Amino acid sequence: MASSKNTTPENLINSCLIKGLDILGSGDALHPVWRKMWADYGPGGGKDVTVIPTTEVQAEGRVHHLILMEDFDQAQTIAEDFRPYSKNIDSDGRPHVNLDGGRIAKIVHEAGAYIGPAHAFTPWTGMYGRFDSLCECYRGEPVDFLELGLSADTSYGEQIPELSGVPFLSNSDAHSPQLHKLGREFNRLDISDRSIRSILDAVFGGKIVLNAGFFPEEGKYNRTACTRCYRQFSVSEAEGLSWRCPDDGGSIKMGVRDRAFSHSDEKARPGNRPPYMHIIPLGEIIQKTVGASSPGTKKCAGLYKSFIESLGDEISILLDIPYERLSSVDEKTAEAIIKFRNEDVVLHPGGGGKYGGFDLE
């Protein structure tokens, strides 16, 4: 559901190699057919990409939880434990489990796996969109990490006292192996080897050295706004209007930014968090610089191929390769990449269900 038919283990791994990802979450690991596809593909993913079994589940209250596992046997165990509480455990990649967050977390921990809120600050299905605290959601059961999601960065969570010591992951779920859909957000880890155990130890041992992803303003629920006309409001304005838009009577939805900051304490010490790099996929940067309708146009695809063939993988191009080498392929795209590195872009925040955008000038 909601995934491209081209989303196969082989296609995902091949895209990882171009993208510069050497760790991949499987997604949908509770689904029996998807588990078998990975088993048939080979242990660990192969081809220099380590595959960590992961899944997202929807609990009571529509809250989404992300689960990380050491192997697919754990995924099968958790699926069997969820089975009495789920009607679609075998048919949906993100099954509905009729349990509260605490009972789900307990099952996950008893299986030896790890859990945290998925895209924690988004409305509708994010944990903070439904609950005021981790304790209220998970009923005292500990969480192992928090996924920021496409609509938040480190600044949204670092001053929330209850998140002190909780690792932040910047991930994005890929509904397709297309290079502008896979790895839109990613993490860099300091690891001794690429075994699953070493990777998980790095996540929980303070060895995330970089989070990377979109500017939160690009998210469609970043600002508090009307869900019909997308007019934006401050929280005090929305409260004064009883959360109804005066222009068209539409519902005003609290934005991710305001929700996160409502839980923050300015006196809280942010702690030793890794830097957050705001970046978008190379294909979308090229789309912007050439004025194309999508990253999949022939012109965009040709220029993308030139960058990869000349300079290597996409993430290295976005983060590491100096301007002089970038400009040898295309000067305008090189300038745009440097602008992102320097956060020298003009943002147009989204809200109410309408995506935000940016300008490079």
Side-chain angles (χ1 to χ4, degrees), residues 2-261:
S3 294
S4 165
K5 64 181 180 180
N6 296 319
T7 306
T8 64
E10 182 177 12
N11 288 341
L12 287 168
I13 295 296
N14 288 337
S15 291
C16 281
L17 299 177
I18 299 171
K19 193 82 178 187
L21 297 168
D22 53 11
I23 303 169
L24 175 71
S26 70
D28 299 356
L30 303 186
H31 194 288
V33 177
W34 189 236
R35 280 202 307 275
K36 187 176 185 304
M37 289 174 71
W38 280 109
D40 292 344
Y41 189 75
K47 291 187 180 179
D48 298 322
V49 178
T50 300
V51 177
I52 296 180
T54 64
T55 193
E56 193 174 334
V57 299
Q58 178 169 296
E60 289 180 350
R62 297 180 62 197
V63 175
H64 290 184
H65 306 272
L66 180 62
I67 302 170
L68 310 182
M69 293 155 278
E70 282 197 61
D71 53 49
F72 285 100
D73 289 340
Q74 281 185 346
Q76 184 170 354
T77 297
I78 292 170
E80 292 305 318
D81 289 341
F82 285 163
R83 185 176 302 281
Y85 312 101
S86 176
K87 294 180 180 180
N88 62 345
I89 194 73
D90 293 327
S91 59
D92 197 324
R94 186 184 61 211
H96 298 181
V97 181
N98 294 317
L99 293 172
D100 61 48
R103 295 178 69 188
I104 284 178
K106 187 173 179 61
I107 289 172
V108 169
H109 287 147
E110 287 177 346
Y114 305 90
I115 189 169
H119 45 81
F121 298 103
T122 55
W124 317 116
T125 57
M127 190 277 294
Y128 280 115
R130 293 285 178 173
F131 295 97
D132 288 330
S133 68
L134 290 173
C135 186
E136 183 183 352
C137 177
Y138 292 97
R139 300 179 183 270
E141 189 72 19
V143 300
D144 304 296
F145 60 85
L146 176 139
E147 184 190 59
L148 294 166
L150 293 172
S151 296
D153 62 13
T154 301
S155 69
Y156 283 46
E158 65 182 354
Q159 289 190 304
I160 298 178
E162 68 173 353
L163 298 182
S164 176
V166 177
F168 291 169
L169 294 178
S170 46
N171 302 324
S172 62
D173 52 349
H175 295 244
S176 161
Q178 293 182 39
L179 292 161
H180 64 285
K181 297 296 186 183
L182 181 69
R184 294 172 294 172
E185 303 209 336
F186 54 90
N187 314 279
R188 270 188 171 171
L189 308 175
D190 177 12
I191 54 177
S192 56
D193 61 74
R194 286 196 301 103
S195 68
I196 293 178
R197 186 67 261 166
S198 291
I199 292 165
L200 293 174
D201 286 345
V203 169
F204 305 123
K207 293 187 177 181
I208 302 173
V209 298
L210 178 74
N211 296 112
F214 286 41
F215 283 99
E217 287 84 355
E218 295 178 76
K220 60 182 179 179
Y221 293 106
N222 182 258
R223 296 293 201 261
T224 297
C226 174
T227 56
R228 286 185 187 172
C229 69
Y230 311 119
R231 176 181 166 185
Q232 296 181 6
F233 301 87
S234 68
V235 172
S236 60
E237 288 173 334
E239 289 174 341
L241 293 166
S242 300
W243 299 91
R244 284 290 171 187
C245 179
D247 296 339
D248 58 15
S251 173
I252 299 173
K253 196 67 179 176
M254 181 180 282
V256 170
R257 185 190 66 163
D258 289 329
R259 176 173 294 108
F261 292 167

Side-chain angles (χ1 to χ4, degrees), residues 264-344:
S264 297
D265 182 348
E266 293 182 358
K267 298 178 182 178
R269 301 181 65 181
N272 188 26
R273 298 283 182 184
Y276 195 104
M277 173 68 184
H278 296 102
I279 195 68
I280 63 173
L282 177 59
E284 294 187 6
I285 293 177
I286 292 173
Q287 175 192 354
K288 195 77 170 181
T289 57
V290 304
S293 58
S294 82
T297 63
K298 186 175 181 180
K299 188 173 184 179
C300 286
L303 186 50
Y304 183 95
K305 183 178 180 181
S306 295
F307 269 101
I308 298 300
E309 289 180 344
S310 301
L311 301 176
D313 67 82
E314 178 180 328
I315 289 176
S316 295
I317 290 168
L318 292 174
L319 300 189
D320 302 321
I321 293 175
Y323 171 78
E324 291 73 21
R325 294 183 62 199
L326 296 172
S327 62
S328 69
V329 179
D330 182 74
E331 189 170 351
K332 285 188 68 175
T333 303
E335 291 174 353
I337 291 171
I338 298 303
K339 281 181 176 288
F340 268 97
R341 290 183 190 176
N342 295 334
E343 302 204 347
D344 184 21

